[in-house]
Amino acid sequence: MSESPSLDGLRVLAHPVRLRILSLLTGVAMSAAEAARELGETQANVSYHLRRLHEAGLLDVAEEVRIRGGLAKRYRHDPESGSRFTSKNPDEEQLLIAAMVEELKRRGEFRLPGERGSISDAEMWVDRETWEKALEHARELSDLLHSAARPPRTRGTIPVSATVAMFEMRRP
C-alpha cells in the first residue's frame, strides 16, 4: 500500500461507485470482473475506480490469479486506510458528503419496510464531553461493522446500510 495518498485528498473518495467498492471489498477480496458483477457496473468502469482507489492507498492487492492466460488482481479494502484522509479544503469535504448523500439515497431504495433499523438526524448544541463521547461511539460502531463484514450472500448474513457523518459546525 502507498505510504501517502497520490491523489487529491478526499476527492478520491467522493464518488458513489468508489464508496460502494470500498464497502464491498471490506468483506472480501475481488477482481474488477467479480466486483463489477456484484455491483451491476461495467468491468471497465470498476477497473478504473479500483486503480484510482489503489493509487490512493485505500486498496491492497490481496492476491494475483491467472485467469484465461491473464493476470487478475484481487483487491481488498482495509477500513483503517481511510483515517489519514483529511482535508483543509471545504470543497473536497463537500464533494465527499455529496457522494455519501447520493449513496444513501441509492441504498434507501433497498430498505426493507417494517424491519428494525435506526434513523436519526440532528443539528443541535451539546457540551464538548458529550460530543467526544458520541464521536467515540461512532468510531466503535464503524469498527464493529467493518470487522464483521463478510462476502456478499454469505449464508447467515444480511445486507445492511450504515452511513454516519458527524462534524462540528461553524456558528451561524
Side-chain angles (χ1 to χ4, degrees):
M1 185 180 334
S2 307
E3 285 302 310
S4 62
S6 60
L7 302 170
D8 298 338
L10 297 175
R11 191 175 303 270
V12 73
L13 295 171
H15 193 288
V17 171
R18 292 185 191 150
L19 293 176
R20 291 178 65 201
I21 288 170
L22 291 176
S23 293
L24 176 65
L25 298 182
T26 298
V28 65
M30 288 186 169
S31 68
E34 293 165 329
R37 279 191 299 273
E38 184 60 37
L39 297 172
E41 298 284 337
T42 67
Q43 182 175 343
N45 187 34
V46 170
S47 183
Y48 169 76
H49 290 299
L50 286 170
R51 283 193 309 274
R52 294 287 311 254
L53 292 165
H54 182 255
E55 289 168 5
L58 290 164
L59 294 178
D60 295 322
V61 175
E63 63 181 327
E64 294 183 359
V65 294
R66 291 240 171 251
I67 299 177
R68 292 186 210 104
L71 195 60
K73 294 178 181 177
R74 283 203 174 114
Y75 295 93
R76 181 86 190 237
H77 172 57
D78 174 6
E80 292 296 316
S81 65
S83 65
R84 72 176 175 278
F85 279 81
T86 59
S87 176
K88 302 254 188 267
N89 182 341
D91 292 338
E92 283 187 359
E93 290 182 342
Q94 283 303 115
L95 284 172
L96 176 58
I97 290 169
M100 290 173 69
V101 166
E102 288 306 308
E103 178 57 7
L104 182 58
K105 286 180 189 177
R106 185 196 67 80
R107 291 180 195 166
E109 294 175 11
F110 296 97
R111 186 173 189 275
L112 288 176
E115 291 299 318
R116 291 184 48 194
S118 175
I119 296 176
S120 177
D121 180 57
E123 179 180 333
M124 60 189 71
W125 293 70
V126 298
D127 60 83
R128 176 66 56 189
E129 182 180 345
T130 300
W131 175 244
E132 293 299 329
K133 193 181 292 185
L135 288 175
E136 182 58 30
H137 285 301
R139 283 189 282 276
E140 289 171 3
L141 171 66
S142 179
D143 291 346
L144 172 67
L145 290 172
H146 281 99
S147 67
R150 299 294 173 258
R153 290 172 249 302
T154 298
R155 175 169 273 172
T157 64
I158 57 171
V160 299
S161 173
T163 302
V164 179
M166 297 172 57
F167 45 86
E168 287 186 53
M169 299 171 56
R170 66 177 173 269
R171 295 172 186 260

